[in-house]
Amino acid sequence: MQATGAEQGSLSDVAEPGAALVPPWVYLLSATIFVITTAEFMVAGLMPALAAAFSVSVGDIDNLIALFALGMTFGGPLVIALLLRLGVPNTDALLWLLGVFLIGSTLAAVAPSYAVMALARTLQGVTSAACFGIGLTLCAESVRVDLRGRAASLVLAGLMISPVAGVPVAALINDLFNWRISFWLIVGLTALCIAVASLTIPRPARSTQVDLASGLAELRNGRLWAAYATSGLIIGATFAAFSYVTAILTEVTGLAPRLIPIVLAAYGVATVIGNLIVGRLADRHTIPVLATGLVVLAAALAGFAALPTDAVVSVAAFLVIGLTGVSLNPAMVARVMRVAHPGPLVNSLHTSVITAGLAFGTWLSGLAIDRGYGLAAPLWIGTGLAVLGLLSLAPRRAPDLTA
């Protein structure tokens, strides 16, 4: 793909002969995503403690997750646009954004009131989406075009590992000490990422002006929005079911509550495995991987929905959802990077669309439950969104395969 004015000069320019196909500092980006994602989701495990600390309802604490998501959806692309307008190089922009994320995390750790915590969570959300966008751009610029999906899977491994390791550790720290220590952990890890990133992520050998106009021009690409739509539908389908899976497994399937953490941990392991497998295939077989993944995802959701009282079928289907669903992220990213130059604005907006898909799937499932359609309704909604995701591939299939 022809480089645009938004490109700063490929980081692969600084690679030495014989260097690894994926530079080691890409794993630092994965660690950074791990910290950011842990910060986003750990509030779910701290709800009772935060509600007691701020004398608010659990519903109010749930809004802290929504504020983070809203910051990602709307604030991230705006911040990226500002950085492009100012001509800040990507490596410097990442460090600045992590610095602001550090401020937001520190504010959350010392928050004396719910209002301050809400402000901190919004600030975290805004900077996290921008970090995702720039991190994926740096990743794409550091490897050959045919390795972008694989490199993206390494970066996104941090997203997959966070629910398995980061969120439970934050909850454990809250149980052993208090919720503020959990947030201080995020502060410490963010500071460590900043220190290591400043020393290891290279600057490009050549520097060209970062151009906001070129970034905005990419957004007029209809194939890009088709790719965005597929991504939003995949994540919407996954979280339509996942957001209510604990209630489904206990109240409909009849699993003992003590088994839920084990099932969720197995699901997390499945997402890590699926992410690595998809990452290996995403570059050479982008559309087939997405199509196959969506067929399997739809089938797993439909099977779960049709036999929700069968424990074996329900747990097996849930694990298959883990192997597909969120694990299709590398293929989703690879597709976006094939139809448009993978600049920070394109990648940040992709993150925003994914977050919006998550929120839409969760909201639609909650609405169905509130309207009396039962706890199995989210599974059927997820099935429908997965089918729509599959249909979204059809009109653009041939052009995308040759992009």
Side-chain angles (χ1 to χ4, degrees):
M1 178 175 291
Q2 192 72 22
T4 67
E7 187 173 9
Q8 300 179 64
S10 173
L11 286 173
S12 61
D13 291 343
V14 302
E16 297 178 359
L21 293 178
V22 178
W25 54 263
V26 167
Y27 294 93
L28 170 65
L29 296 178
S30 181
T32 302
I33 297 303
F34 170 83
V35 174
I36 289 172
T37 307
T38 298
E40 178 181 5
F41 291 116
M42 74 181 193
V43 168
L46 309 179
M47 281 186 176
L50 291 172
F54 297 124
S55 300
V56 297
S57 69
V58 171
D60 289 326
I61 300 303
D62 188 55
N63 288 335
L64 295 177
I65 300 175
L67 286 171
F68 195 109
L70 286 172
M72 290 187 70
T73 302
F74 298 106
L78 294 177
V79 169
I80 290 295
L82 176 62
L83 291 170
L84 288 175
R85 182 68 180 84
L86 295 175
V88 181
N90 285 336
T91 305
D92 294 336
L94 179 65
L95 294 174
W96 279 106
L97 288 167
L98 285 175
V100 178
F101 186 83
L102 179 66
I103 293 172
S105 300
T106 304
L107 193 60
V110 302
S113 66
Y114 178 81
V116 173
M117 178 61 81
L119 174 63
R121 293 290 292 175
T122 304
L123 189 60
Q124 285 181 312
V126 168
T127 51
S128 68
C131 284
F132 263 87
I134 290 181
L136 287 171
T137 297
L138 288 170
C139 170
E141 292 178 345
S142 71
V143 299
R144 301 196 312 260
V145 172
D146 62 324
L147 291 175
R148 284 174 173 174
R150 181 183 300 188
S153 74
L154 296 177
V155 174
L156 294 171
L159 171 66
M160 309 299 166
I161 297 172
S162 172
V164 182
V167 173
V169 167
L172 178 62
I173 289 174
N174 172 66
D175 292 339
L176 295 177
F177 303 101
N178 61 64
W179 64 268
R180 292 190 188 275
I181 301 301
S182 297
F183 278 95
W184 281 118
L185 174 65
I186 297 298
V187 172
L189 291 175
T190 303
L192 180 61
C193 286
I194 293 172
V196 177
S198 64
L199 296 174
T200 59
I201 300 181
R203 269 62 176 177
R206 56 187 173 84
S207 177
T208 58
Q209 181 64 36
V210 178
D211 188 357
L212 175 60
S214 297
L216 292 174
E218 292 284 355
L219 301 185
R220 294 196 291 269
N221 182 347
R223 299 166 72 202
L224 174 62
W225 286 98
Y228 283 165
T230 303
S231 297
L233 288 166
I234 289 171
I235 300 303
T238 303
F239 278 88
F242 182 81
S243 299
Y244 298 93
V245 74
T246 297
I248 296 169
L249 289 174
T250 55
E251 298 181 32
V252 180
T253 307
L255 288 186
R258 70 178 183 277
L259 297 177
I260 298 302
I262 298 174
V263 174
L264 291 176
Y267 173 90
V269 172
T271 65
V272 174
I273 295 172
N275 174 70
L276 294 176
I277 293 172
V278 171
R280 289 283 180 175
L281 301 173
D283 291 302
R284 298 183 64 182
H285 309 287
T286 307
I287 299 302
V289 166
L290 287 171
T292 302
L294 279 163
V295 169
V296 174
L297 177 61
L301 286 163
F304 197 171
L307 298 169
T309 58
D310 187 311
V312 174
V313 172
S314 296
V315 172
F318 182 53
L319 296 182
V320 171
I321 292 169
L323 285 171
T324 54
V326 176
S327 301
L328 291 173
N329 258 304
M332 290 152 48
V333 171
R335 185 184 182 201
V336 166
M337 289 182 175
R338 291 175 69 179
V339 300
H341 173 66
L345 186 58
V346 166
N347 288 328
S348 178
L349 192 56
H350 191 200
T351 301
S352 296
V353 171
I354 287 172
T355 304
L358 185 158
F360 177 73
T362 302
W363 169 80
L364 195 59
S365 291
L367 180 63
I369 292 172
D370 290 341
R371 294 291 175 87
Y373 291 101
L375 282 173
L379 302 173
W380 289 117
I381 288 172
T383 303
L385 292 175
V387 171
L388 288 176
L390 185 61
L391 294 176
S392 74
L393 294 175
R396 302 282 174 175
R397 178 164 182 162
D400 282 348
L401 284 171
T402 58

